[in-house]
Amino acid sequence: MNKNWLRTALCATTMLCAGMVQADEGKLTVQLNKFEPTEGGGCRAFFLFRNQTDNSFEGFEMSLAILDGNGVIDRLLSIDAAPLPVSRTVLKLFEIPEISCDNISEILLHDLPVCKPQNAEPIDCFPILALDSKTSATLAQ
């Protein structure tokens, strides 16, 4: 086997892998990290926001559809997660009233009514989002 060919192939693979690592950077990750029951039968949702973009966000609102254990939309919930500083991870807690944590099968991010970087015009944040869930419920868009 030609050593130059092998060297070129390894270099191309390394560059491809480096490109994939860079592709993960620049994302705004929204992670549904934990559920906790509240008094009165509701559910407290813990969200982590990891801002790996080059922008701090002074406005970031999410419109969520909460689906019950049967996959039926139980309610819509709007949450304001701003501010989201650049290169930081921020914890936000949100109350979901009148539905138990065990009865939430999915949380659907169906709209971002506000996504405004600091000192800039609003942008479409869907392309920079990465969603994740460590709970029994899926976080999807």
Side-chain angles (χ1 to χ4, degrees):
M1 181 183 299
N2 183 334
K3 288 183 183 180
N4 287 334
W5 178 88
L6 182 59
R7 187 176 300 133
T8 301
L10 287 172
C11 182
T13 303
T14 303
M15 288 170 45
L16 178 63
C17 292
M20 289 192 312
V21 169
Q22 289 175 351
D24 288 342
E25 294 176 6
K27 290 290 186 181
L28 176 57
T29 301
V30 179
Q31 181 186 82
L32 177 57
N33 185 270
K34 177 182 170 181
F35 281 148
E36 183 176 270
T38 62
E39 292 182 26
C43 184
R44 182 175 297 117
F46 293 73
F47 282 88
L48 292 178
F49 296 86
R50 289 187 169 91
N51 186 359
Q52 298 302 314
T53 71
D54 292 330
N55 297 305
S56 289
F57 291 90
E58 63 184 35
F60 191 80
E61 294 179 16
M62 301 187 304
S63 181
L64 305 172
I66 310 301
L67 283 68
D68 68 15
N70 295 319
V72 176
I73 296 173
D74 181 76
R75 73 190 67 229
L76 298 177
L77 182 66
S78 292
I79 60 175
D80 184 356
L84 297 175
V86 69
S87 299
R88 292 266 317 272
T89 299
V90 176
L91 169 66
K92 302 279 183 167
L93 287 73
F94 300 101
E95 303 290 327
I96 306 171
E98 302 169 2
I99 186 170
S100 70
C101 300
D102 293 342
N103 199 27
I104 298 173
S105 64
E106 184 175 351
I107 297 180
L108 174 67
L109 172 59
H110 72 91
D111 194 17
L112 290 168
V114 177
C115 187
K116 185 176 182 320
Q118 189 171 349
N119 302 320
E121 294 297 314
I123 62 171
D124 176 10
C125 278
F126 276 104
I128 63 169
L129 282 183
L131 303 180
D132 184 30
S133 177
K134 292 200 177 284
T135 72
S136 57
T138 305
L139 181 61
Q141 58 178 316

